[in-house]
């Protein structure tokens, strides 16, 4: 009982930290969101916001790289998604100009709205026209050298502990059409720090540990290989989650204490 109370107190402290950071940085967010030429600087402030608001409540991010990443090139970054902290983590991870693609509701969010009306790309997956427009915009950004961050599960699993859900096809077709490498990113323990929004199970201080896998090249592929590419990226992430003994896809469960491997 006391543990849950402390976790609930912690998550509300985190919410306050995020809100306070947003208010302090809002003039910078607003100014740098007014023009696409300023989006790179906007992302720098967003990275700072994610770092400071998390660190204020004792949440930190660790990244283990399978190989060094050349951030001078654009990528499609595909992480698994179990926590709102994944968003801050991806802002911190990507060292170049970038944008998120996310559900259309984020366009009306109190905090997310400013970003999804400017630098980021909202999409209504129930509308073929909306999806077409969103991926057309994403294609334009990638061709301009802007990396795209997209959670291929399309959202956070309703199950607790979370399950790795089947991936959507969109980012993999896009990667093949534009010959853009995909970077799979695995997070095996972020949900233990803060699951989803944190309002149900609370949160706690700790290190969110991410494995940044080597880029999966797509230059040799055709659109007929989109499903195979999707499955390849899924297995890369799923295999890492299995090593961490977390719940994986299609109802299979791996229980026990989270393993730590290497620097992860």
């Amino acid at each position: 009982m006391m543990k849950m109370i402390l976790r609930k107190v912690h998550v509300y402290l985190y919410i306050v930290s995020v809100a306070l950071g947003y208010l302090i940085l809002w003039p910078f967010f607003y100014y740098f969101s007014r023009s696409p030429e300023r989006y790179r600087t906007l992302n720098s402030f967003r990275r700072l916001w994610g770092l400071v608001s998390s660190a204020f409540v004792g949440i930190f991010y660790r990244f283990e790289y399978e190989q060094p990443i050349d951030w001078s090139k654009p990528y499609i970054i595909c992480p698994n998604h179990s926590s709102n902290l994944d968003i801050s983590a991806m802002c911190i991870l990507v060292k170049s100009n970038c944008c998120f693609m996310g559900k259309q509701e984020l366009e009306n969010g109190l905090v997310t709205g400013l970003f999804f009306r400017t630098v980021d790309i909202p999409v209504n997956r129930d509308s073929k026209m909306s999806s077409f427009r969103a991926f057309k915009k994403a294609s334009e950004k990638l061709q301009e050298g802007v990396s795209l961050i997209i959670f291929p599960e399309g959202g956070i699993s309703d199950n607790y502990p979370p399950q790795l859900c089947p991936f959507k096809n969109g980012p993999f077709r896009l990667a093949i059409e534009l010959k853009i490498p995909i970077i799979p990113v695995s997070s095996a323990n972020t949900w233990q720090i803060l699951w989803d929004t944190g309002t149900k199970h609370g949160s706690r201080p700790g290190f969110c540990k991410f494995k940044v896998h080597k880029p999966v090249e797509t230059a040799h592929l055709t659109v007929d290989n989109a499903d195979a590419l999707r499955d390849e990226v899924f297995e890369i992430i799923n295999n890492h989650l299995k090593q961490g003994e977390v719940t994986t896809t299609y109802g299979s469960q791996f229980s026990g204490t989270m393993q730590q491997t290497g620097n992860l």
Side-chain angles (χ1 to χ4, degrees):
M1 183 65 176
M2 181 56 68
K3 182 179 179 181
M4 181 53 67
I5 291 173
L6 291 173
R7 288 183 68 99
K8 288 295 182 72
V9 169
H10 186 269
V11 78
Y12 285 111
L13 285 174
Y14 173 67
I15 292 170
V16 169
S17 177
V18 170
L20 184 61
Y22 182 77
L23 287 173
I24 292 171
L25 293 173
W26 186 85
F28 300 98
F29 289 151
Y30 182 81
Y31 175 77
F32 289 111
S33 68
R34 295 305 88 191
S35 168
E37 289 75 22
R38 302 172 186 168
Y39 286 172
R40 181 182 293 273
T41 306
L42 174 64
N43 278 319
S44 297
F45 276 96
R46 186 154 58 166
R47 189 177 302 121
L48 174 66
W49 177 38
L51 273 169
V52 174
S53 61
S54 299
F56 185 77
V57 293
I59 296 174
F60 302 95
Y61 303 94
R62 284 180 178 171
F63 302 96
E64 180 188 8
Y65 294 84
E66 192 169 344
Q67 71 178 44
I69 304 296
D70 177 7
W71 291 113
S72 66
K73 300 188 296 184
Y75 300 94
I76 295 178
I77 295 93
C78 288
N80 65 299
H81 197 19
S82 62
S83 169
N84 277 4
L85 296 174
D86 298 329
I87 300 168
S88 294
M90 293 306 104
C91 289
I92 296 165
L93 169 67
V94 181
K95 303 300 189 292
S96 58
N97 201 8
C98 63
C99 66
F100 286 87
M101 181 182 285
K103 59 186 179 181
Q104 193 170 37
E105 293 87 335
L106 295 170
E107 199 172 12
N108 300 316
L110 183 62
V111 172
T112 57
L114 179 129
F115 302 107
F116 274 88
R117 290 191 296 268
T118 56
V119 61
D120 295 331
I121 305 171
V123 57
N124 178 1
R125 292 188 177 90
D126 295 327
S127 166
K128 290 184 178 179
M129 183 57 67
S130 174
S131 296
F132 173 79
R133 287 196 298 264
F135 278 97
K136 184 175 184 297
K137 187 174 182 180
S139 174
E140 292 169 355
K141 284 181 174 286
L142 285 163
Q143 292 179 80
E144 293 167 0
V146 178
S147 289
L148 174 68
I149 304 167
I150 183 168
F151 297 102
E153 296 167 87
I156 296 175
S157 169
D158 292 331
N159 298 296
Y160 185 85
Q163 293 178 324
L164 184 64
C165 300
F167 288 177
K168 310 293 184 183
N169 282 354
F172 306 100
R173 290 184 61 90
L174 185 62
I176 290 173
E177 288 171 1
L178 299 180
K179 307 303 181 187
I180 301 289
I182 288 180
I183 300 180
V185 181
S186 304
S187 171
N189 83 320
T190 308
W191 66 273
Q192 294 183 320
I193 306 296
L194 183 152
W195 175 64
D196 199 357
T197 62
T199 54
K200 186 172 183 179
H201 295 280
S203 62
R204 65 173 176 82
F207 285 90
C208 300
K209 303 165 186 174
F210 293 84
K211 176 65 174 287
V212 183
H213 302 276
K214 65 182 179 181
V216 179
E217 297 295 336
T218 61
H220 61 292
L221 301 178
T222 68
V223 290
D224 293 334
N225 304 122
D227 287 354
L229 177 62
R230 177 200 64 201
D231 294 344
E232 179 183 355
V233 174
F234 181 94
E235 285 305 319
I236 289 171
I237 294 175
N238 195 37
N239 288 337
H240 182 75
L241 298 187
K242 286 181 180 180
Q243 293 173 15
E245 299 182 8
V246 299
T247 306
T248 60
T249 189
Y250 309 128
S252 300
Q253 290 197 341
F254 296 80
S255 60
T257 305
M258 301 291 294
Q259 288 183 333
Q260 296 185 9
T261 57
N263 295 324
L264 198 64

